[in-house]
């Protein structure tokens, strides 16, 4: 496939993601949309449902990844491309990594999102600066059986590795 053909396909997929984002706003959701593509075809879509579903994890990318996994019958989306209307936040990027996405492409960036009132730049900073002070305290509780579930996992002969 030539570079021009690939760019045209990505532009079409991105247009769909932006359409989903714009429609999400009209439907009471946030201005984010995403599609998952496999073998050149859109296999799943998602739009922001944080406020409509009262779910802070229902970002467009996560919704699209969930829908793609259901559509394809797998939790591994290797060979898939995540096309999203805006640069994925750290949670969404981590979700794409866990899904084993082949690649991620986006249109608007974190600065564009900040101008619209979605300023998650502080989250990017937390992950890039090891000396950052987290706004939510995170601490470990020492437990003697802390590895009990991991031990059970390692001993389970029919486990599904991921």
């Amino acid at each position: 496939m030539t570079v021009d053909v690939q760019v045209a396909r990505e532009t079409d997929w991105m247009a769909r993601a932006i359409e989903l984002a714009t429609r999400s706003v009209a439907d009471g959701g946030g201005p984010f949309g995403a599609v998952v593509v496999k073998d050149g075809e859109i296999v799943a879509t998602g739009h922001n449902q944080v406020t409509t579903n009262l779910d802070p994890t229902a970002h467009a990318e996560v919704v699209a990844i969930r829908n793609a996994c259901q559509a394809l019958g797998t939790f591994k989306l290797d060979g898939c491309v995540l096309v999203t209307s805006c640069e994925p936040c750290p949670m969404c990027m981590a979700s794409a990594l866990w899904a084993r996405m082949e690649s991620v492409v986006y249109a608007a960036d974190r600065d564009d999102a900040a101008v619209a009132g979605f300023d998650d730049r502080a989250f990017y900073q937390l992950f890039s600066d090891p000396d950052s002070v987290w706004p939510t305290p995170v601490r470990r509780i020492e437990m003697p059986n802390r590895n009990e579930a991991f031990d059970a996992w390692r001993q389970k002969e029919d486990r599904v590795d991921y």
Side-chain angles (χ1 to χ4, degrees):
M1 178 180 335
T2 68
V3 173
D4 291 338
V5 170
Q6 181 63 22
V7 169
R9 292 174 85 181
E10 288 179 346
T11 300
D12 289 344
W13 302 331
M14 188 61 72
R16 179 73 172 121
I18 293 170
E19 174 189 320
L20 289 164
T22 305
R23 188 171 351 130
S24 179
V25 173
D27 293 341
F32 303 94
V35 300
V36 175
V37 177
K38 181 159 180 90
D39 298 327
E41 299 296 324
I42 294 175
V43 296
T45 65
H47 64 275
N48 184 280
Q49 299 175 20
V50 170
T51 58
T52 55
N53 288 2
L54 306 178
D55 179 355
T57 69
H59 290 200
E61 298 90 340
V62 172
V63 172
I65 289 169
R66 289 173 181 161
N67 290 341
C69 289
Q70 293 301 305
L72 297 173
T74 182
F75 59 89
K76 291 182 181 179
L77 298 178
D78 47 334
C80 291
V81 178
L82 178 62
V83 181
T84 180
S85 64
C86 187
E87 181 178 6
C89 74
M91 176 186 69
C92 292
M93 194 62 227
S95 298
L97 293 170
W98 274 110
R100 309 299 195 258
M101 287 285 180
E102 179 178 301
S103 64
V104 177
V105 295
Y106 62 90
D109 66 18
R110 63 184 81 173
D111 297 318
D112 298 320
V115 169
F118 296 89
D119 194 355
D120 55 1
R121 291 178 293 191
F123 298 137
Y124 292 99
Q125 182 63 29
L126 283 173
F127 289 104
S128 65
D129 180 2
D131 296 323
S132 290
V133 176
W134 288 64
T136 303
V138 178
R139 63 186 178 87
R140 180 178 178 183
I141 296 175
E142 188 60 47
M143 294 292 292
N145 65 335
R146 71 178 182 261
N147 289 313
E148 185 176 312
F150 292 132
D151 293 341
W153 175 257
R154 282 191 298 272
Q155 294 171 10
K156 185 174 175 56
E157 291 183 19
D158 63 342
R159 71 178 179 254
V160 177
D161 289 325
Y162 60 98

